[in-house]
Amino acid sequence: MLPSRILVVDDNPVNLGVLVDNLEVHGYEVLVALGGHEALDRVRFAKPDLVLLDVMMPDIDGFETCRRLKAEPASRDIPVIFMTALSDVDSKVKAFAAGGVDYISKPFQIEELMARVRTHLSLRKAQLDLMAQKTDLEVEVAARHAAEDSLRDSELRHRRLFETAADGILVLDCDANTVYDLNARCGQMLGLNPEEARGRYLEDIAAFREMGGKAIVEALRTSGQMKWDEWSWQKPDGTTVSVEVVGTTYRAGNRLLAQCTFRDIRARKEAEARVRYLALHDALTGLPNRTLLLDRLSQSIAHARRDGTQVGLLLLDLDHFKHINDSLGHFVGDALLEEVAKRLRSVLRESDTPARLGGDEFVVAATGLEKPEDAEALAQRILDAFKPVARVGRHDLHIGSSIGIALYPGDGDNPAALLQAADTAMYQAKKKGRGSYRLFTRDLSVAAERWHTLSNDLHGACERGEFVLHYQPQVSAHNSEITGFETLLRWHHPEQGLIQPGLFIPLLEEHGKMVEVGRWVLKTACAQNARWQAQGLPRVRVAVNLSAQQFYRGDIVRTVREALDESGLAAEWLELELTESLTLDDTETTMRIMRELKALGVKLSLDDFGTGWSSLGYLKRFPLDRIKIDRSFVRDLVSDHSTAAIVHSILDLARSLDLDCVAEGVETAEQLERLRQERCPGIQGFLFSQAVEARAVPQMLETGLRPVEAVSKDNAA
C-alpha cells in the first residue's frame, strides 16, 4: 500500500524541517510549499491526501489558499488542517468557513498534530473507499445486465450464476404478482424459505408488504427497470435489514419476469455512520466537537428567543495542563482529558451540550436558564466535580480549571459572539488566580476590543516605521563611565500614542511577529552603533534582547551575521541578552546556537538573573560573558538583609566564574553605594538615566553621566 501523501505549506524553514521530519518518521510521503501560490500548483499535480496549511504567508494567506482549493473540483475534497499562532475565535471561525476540517494553534505538540493527521486521513480513506465501492457496484450492475442477456440464452448458465451469487437474487412474476424464484442469499435477507416462497403472492410476504410490493412490480412493469434504491425492513426475528436493490424486466415465453438483485449495505451504512460521528465528535473524549456545538448552540438560541429564556455558554480551560503533558507524557494527558469529559457529563442536564474545542479547551452550552446565577451555579458544580483527585495510572492528579461565562442575549446574539465573550471572561478568570469562574462584562469587552485593535494594528507597524529604539546607558560602578547601552523597543501608535512594551511584546509573541521585529531591532541597533563610531564617539557595546522565538525559530545566527555585515559593526561591540525565561529544556540545541554566536565574536549575557529557572549548571556550561542582576533584588538591597545576602552571593558567583556583572534598576544613591561596597562592576538604572532616543546618545558619550536621584518610579521603562 502506498504511503499517504501530505502537503505542508509554511514559509518558515524551521517549522517545515520539524514537521517534515516527524511526518516522514511516521511513514508519510511529504511535499512542501513555501506559499499559497506554490501550494495551489503542487496540489494540481501531486494530488495530496491531506494539506497542513499555515495561515500567515507572504503571498496569499492560508484562508484564501483554502478557499481556492475548495473552489476546484479536483481538490475540493482534500482535507485541510490549519496551523497558526492566531488563537482568537474569529480566526478559528474564519478557518472553518474557508473549508478547513480542523484547526491547531501554534506552538503545538507533535503528538497532538500526528493524532489529528491520522484521524483525518482515516476519514479521507473511508470516504474514498465508499466512492470506490459505489463505482464497483455500478460496474457490477452493468456486468449483471450483460449476464442477463446470456442467461436468457442458457438456462444452465443462469441457474449456476443464480445459485452461486453472493448477492440476493429474486425473480418476480409481474403478471401474477408472485415470487417466481429466489436464491438462498435472498431468502436469508427476506427471512424466507426459498422452497416455501416460490409461487407466493407478494402481499402474503411481510417484507414486501412493508416495502409496498405491488408498487415495486408496477414500477418495473411500467419502466422495465429499476435503478439502485435503498430499502430497509425488519425481519421476523427483529433484526433490521438494509439493502440496495436494482431490477430489470424480461420476457420468458408469455410471462413478464423481473429480476431484482439485493445487496447488503449494512457495512457501508455503519462506515457512513462512523464518518458522520467522527465529523461531529471529538475522537478522544467522544464529546461533540466545534461543528456540532455550533449547530446545537444555534438551535438553543432560536428556542431561547422564542421562549424568552437565556442560554449560558461556559468556556473551560484546564490550568497547567501543558505541564502535565510535558512532564508525564501525552498518554497521561489524554487519560486526564477523558476523565474531565466524564466528570463534565456527570453534572450536566440532558438538555445541556458539552463539547471539546481542542487541546484542553471545553465548552458547555446550557439551555433554559432564567438568570445569570443559574450559569454561575453550573460553573460551581463543574469546579466541585473537578476537586476530587484523578487517579491516572500511578499518578494522582488535581484538575484545575478556569471558566468564562457568556449569556444570550445579553453578551451576544450568535454563537461566534458568545464564544468570544466567554473566551474573554475565561482569560480574566485565569488572571485573577485560576480555579475560578468569571461572568463576561462590558468592561472586559472594551479591554478585549483594545487587544483586538492593537493586534490588527500591529500587522505592518514595523514597515510603517512605528517602532523606534530607545537606549538606556550602562555605566561603570567605579567611575560612572558609560560602558554600553541596552536597546529597548518602543511602539508609537499613530492614534493611541506610546504603547507600553508589557502590552505589545506579548502580542508580537502571540502573532509570531517577534522574529520579524527582532530582526529589525538587531539590524537597526548595529547600524546605529556603527554610525556613532563613525562620528568619532567613544566605542561602547550595544545590548539587544532576544526572545525565545528569535533564539529557537528565527535562524538567529544568520540574522546576527547579516546585521554585522550590513552595518560594518565589529562583533565585539554587540551583546545579546538571553532571558532566563527562555526555554532551555533542549540544552544541546541551546549550546549549539550559543557556540555559533560566540564564534561570530559577539558577547552573551543572561538577563534577569535569579528570577527564572536559574541553574548553576547553565552558568558552567553556557559560554556567557555577563549576568544581569534583576531589578527586584536591587530594589530591596538596602532594606532587606536576605536580599542583600542574595546579591552578595550572585556577585561572588560571577567573580568565581570570571563573569562580568550588571545590576539593573538602580534608582538611589544608597543602592549605588551598597553595590560599590559589594564590588559590582556595572550599573544600569534611573539614578543615571532613563532610556533615551538615539539623538540624545552622542551628548551622553561626550559629556558623561553623573548619578542623580531618579525622577519617579512611575516612569519605569
Side-chain angles (χ1 to χ4, degrees):
M1 180 184 296
L2 295 175
S4 297
R5 180 177 294 172
I6 299 175
L7 174 63
V8 180
V9 187
D10 199 316
D11 63 331
N12 190 322
V14 178
N15 290 345
L16 284 174
V18 173
L19 286 171
V20 170
D21 289 345
N22 281 278
L23 289 170
E24 289 182 343
V25 164
H26 284 79
Y28 299 115
E29 179 184 348
V30 184
L31 305 173
V32 299
L34 299 179
H37 290 302
E38 183 180 354
L40 294 172
D41 292 337
R42 289 246 174 189
V43 168
R44 292 189 188 99
F45 297 100
K47 295 182 175 60
D49 300 299
L50 178 70
V51 176
L52 297 178
L53 181 59
D54 190 20
V55 171
M56 306 306 296
M57 292 184 292
D59 45 9
I60 58 174
D61 64 21
F63 300 135
E64 180 59 24
T65 303
C66 186
R67 280 191 287 270
R68 295 189 187 183
L69 284 174
K70 298 303 176 180
E72 294 293 331
S75 57
R76 181 181 299 134
D77 296 327
I78 298 174
V80 176
I81 298 177
F82 281 94
M83 309 177 300
T84 178
L86 301 176
S87 60
D88 59 285
V89 172
D90 287 344
S91 298
K92 295 179 181 179
V93 171
K94 190 175 180 182
F96 287 101
V101 300
D102 209 341
Y103 184 103
I104 183 167
S105 300
K106 297 179 181 178
F108 49 76
Q109 295 293 330
I110 286 297
E111 291 84 356
E112 180 184 0
L113 177 63
M114 297 308 302
R116 297 194 185 194
V117 166
R118 286 192 295 271
T119 296
H120 288 291
L121 285 175
S122 297
L123 288 173
R124 178 62 173 157
K125 183 178 183 302
Q127 292 169 343
L128 293 175
D129 288 344
L130 290 174
M131 294 170 61
Q133 195 176 58
K134 185 176 180 181
T135 301
D136 291 342
L137 289 174
E138 293 172 348
V139 171
E140 288 189 28
V141 170
R144 208 171 289 282
H145 286 169
E148 289 169 356
D149 294 336
S150 177
L151 286 174
R152 283 191 291 269
D153 298 333
S154 173
E155 180 65 25
L156 179 62
R157 292 172 58 194
H158 168 83
R159 179 54 57 185
R160 184 180 299 127
L161 176 63
F162 188 80
E163 293 297 342
T164 59
D167 297 324
I169 300 177
L170 174 70
V171 181
L172 303 176
D173 187 329
C174 296
D175 294 326
N177 286 331
T178 60
V179 175
Y180 182 79
D181 202 357
L182 71 164
N183 66 359
R185 179 67 174 147
C186 183
Q188 292 174 3
M189 292 182 179
L190 297 174
L192 299 174
N193 183 318
E195 296 300 326
E196 297 176 356
R198 292 186 181 95
R200 289 179 63 182
Y201 286 101
L202 297 182
E203 289 303 306
D204 293 337
I205 301 174
F208 277 98
R209 283 201 303 272
E210 291 187 35
M211 292 186 291
K214 283 187 177 181
I216 295 170
V217 172
E218 186 60 35
L220 284 166
R221 184 187 289 115
T222 302
S223 63
Q225 63 179 358
M226 179 175 61
K227 295 183 179 180
W228 285 111
D229 195 8
E230 291 187 11
W231 289 347
S232 295
W233 68 88
Q234 197 170 53
K235 292 168 62 175
D237 62 4
T239 59
T240 299
V241 179
S242 294
V243 297
E244 277 188 336
V245 184
V246 66
T248 185
T249 59
Y250 60 92
R251 284 283 174 183
N254 60 352
R255 290 182 174 181
L256 179 64
L257 302 181
Q259 178 173 310
C260 299
T261 301
F262 290 70
R263 173 153 293 174
D264 191 337
I265 57 172
R266 283 176 300 176
R268 194 186 81 189
K269 286 289 186 183
E270 291 172 359
E272 290 175 346
R274 179 63 177 166
V275 168
R276 287 194 298 271
Y277 181 84
L278 291 175
L280 297 174
H281 292 80
D282 173 54
L284 175 64
T285 63
L287 294 179
N289 63 10
R290 178 185 297 275
T291 303
L292 184 54
L293 169 72
L294 294 178
D295 179 67
R296 291 187 180 176
L297 186 55
S298 297
Q299 295 179 30
S300 298
I301 290 174
H303 293 158
R305 185 180 297 116
R306 180 194 63 199
D307 301 337
T309 57
Q310 299 186 48
V311 177
L313 189 71
L314 285 70
L315 180 62
L316 295 74
D317 187 87
L318 301 186
D319 297 332
H320 308 299
F321 179 74
K322 184 178 183 300
H323 175 70
I324 293 175
N325 262 348
D326 292 345
S327 58
L328 301 180
H330 288 275
F331 290 111
V332 174
D334 287 349
L336 184 62
L337 292 175
E338 293 181 88
E339 178 66 19
V340 168
K342 177 181 176 182
R343 296 192 185 186
L344 263 183
R345 293 189 186 98
S346 70
V347 297
L348 299 182
R349 303 167 298 170
E350 288 293 331
S351 59
D352 298 334
T353 299
R356 182 186 176 213
L357 297 187
D360 60 344
E361 273 193 341
F362 293 82
V363 172
V364 174
T367 60
L369 304 182
E370 299 294 336
K371 51 188 181 300
E373 288 77 7
D374 295 339
E376 291 184 275
L378 175 57
Q380 190 57 56
R381 288 203 305 274
I382 293 172
L383 293 176
D384 291 341
F386 288 170
K387 284 181 180 178
V389 173
R391 183 69 177 176
V392 179
R394 52 189 179 83
H395 304 286
D396 289 332
L397 304 178
H398 295 274
I399 304 173
S401 178
S402 300
I403 304 177
I405 305 173
L407 295 170
Y408 167 85
D411 301 332
D413 60 358
N414 60 75
L418 289 176
L419 275 170
Q420 183 172 352
D423 188 65
T424 300
M426 184 269 292
Y427 277 108
Q428 286 300 315
K430 280 189 176 294
K431 290 181 180 178
K432 296 298 181 183
R434 301 176 182 268
S436 62
Y437 62 82
R438 180 77 181 266
L439 280 168
F440 176 79
T441 64
R442 287 300 160 192
D443 290 340
L444 298 181
S445 179
V446 171
E449 287 175 5
R450 184 173 189 236
W451 180 269
H452 182 69
T453 299
L454 291 178
S455 295
N456 289 334
D457 294 347
L458 197 61
H459 294 285
C462 192
E463 293 82 354
R464 294 190 297 269
E466 296 173 11
F467 287 129
V468 295
L469 297 184
H470 287 188
Y471 301 87
Q472 186 173 33
Q474 297 171 344
V475 302
S476 166
H478 174 65
N479 55 17
S480 301
E481 180 182 345
I482 297 176
T483 59
F485 288 89
E486 180 179 359
T487 305
L488 300 170
L489 182 63
R490 297 291 185 263
W491 181 17
H492 285 288
H493 192 282
E495 296 176 359
Q496 300 189 34
L498 190 65
I499 307 298
Q500 291 299 315
L503 184 58
F504 76 82
I505 294 295
L507 280 173
L508 289 174
E509 296 277 3
E510 179 178 332
H511 293 289
K513 294 287 185 180
M514 202 61 244
V515 173
E516 171 192 340
V517 175
R519 184 182 301 114
W520 174 84
V521 171
L522 262 171
K523 292 187 176 183
T524 303
C526 288
Q528 181 62 71
N529 199 10
R531 284 194 293 271
W532 289 332
Q533 293 185 7
Q535 295 171 19
L537 296 170
R539 301 191 173 207
V540 293
R541 67 179 182 275
V542 62
V544 176
N545 292 279
L546 296 186
S547 72
Q549 285 188 7
Q550 284 177 280
F551 193 82
Y552 290 109
R553 292 190 281 168
D555 197 356
I556 187 61
V557 177
R558 184 180 67 179
T559 300
V560 171
R561 184 185 297 111
E562 290 176 353
L564 293 173
D565 291 343
E566 292 174 9
S567 64
L569 181 70
E572 64 183 297
W573 303 114
L574 174 63
E575 178 179 318
L576 303 177
E577 292 192 5
L578 314 175
T579 176
E580 279 193 303
S581 60
L582 277 176
T583 304
L584 298 177
D585 295 333
D586 190 351
T587 53
E588 292 306 318
T589 300
T590 305
M591 283 294 297
R592 175 183 57 78
I593 296 175
M594 284 188 175
R595 283 195 296 265
E596 293 177 4
L597 290 172
K598 288 295 292 181
L600 296 178
V602 301
K603 305 295 184 184
L604 299 180
S605 65
L606 186 60
D607 197 11
D608 302 331
F609 184 76
T611 61
W613 302 98
S614 299
S615 169
L616 299 183
Y618 290 157
L619 294 181
K620 180 181 177 182
R621 292 186 61 193
F622 295 159
L624 298 170
D625 298 287
R626 182 177 293 105
I627 58 176
K628 300 184 72 177
I629 302 175
D630 186 70
R631 65 179 65 247
S632 61
F633 295 112
V634 174
R635 182 187 61 235
D636 300 328
L637 175 63
V638 177
S639 60
D640 185 76
H641 176 74
S642 298
T643 302
I646 292 174
V647 172
H648 177 82
S649 299
I650 293 174
L651 290 168
D652 274 352
L653 177 63
R655 282 189 288 270
S656 299
L657 296 175
D658 197 22
L659 294 174
D660 194 4
C661 197
V662 174
E664 297 181 292
V666 179
E667 298 180 348
T668 67
E670 291 81 2
Q671 292 169 349
L672 174 61
E673 182 58 31
R674 188 61 177 270
L675 288 167
R676 282 174 172 170
Q677 293 174 8
E678 293 287 350
R679 295 183 294 145
C680 179
I683 301 296
Q684 179 180 342
F686 289 171
L687 182 62
F688 288 91
S689 174
Q690 301 182 43
V692 299
E693 297 181 6
R695 61 187 179 185
V697 169
Q699 183 178 356
M700 280 186 177
L701 290 173
E702 289 173 348
T703 61
L705 292 173
R706 294 173 59 84
V708 212
E709 287 293 339
V711 205
S712 167
K713 293 184 180 180
D714 294 334
N715 295 325

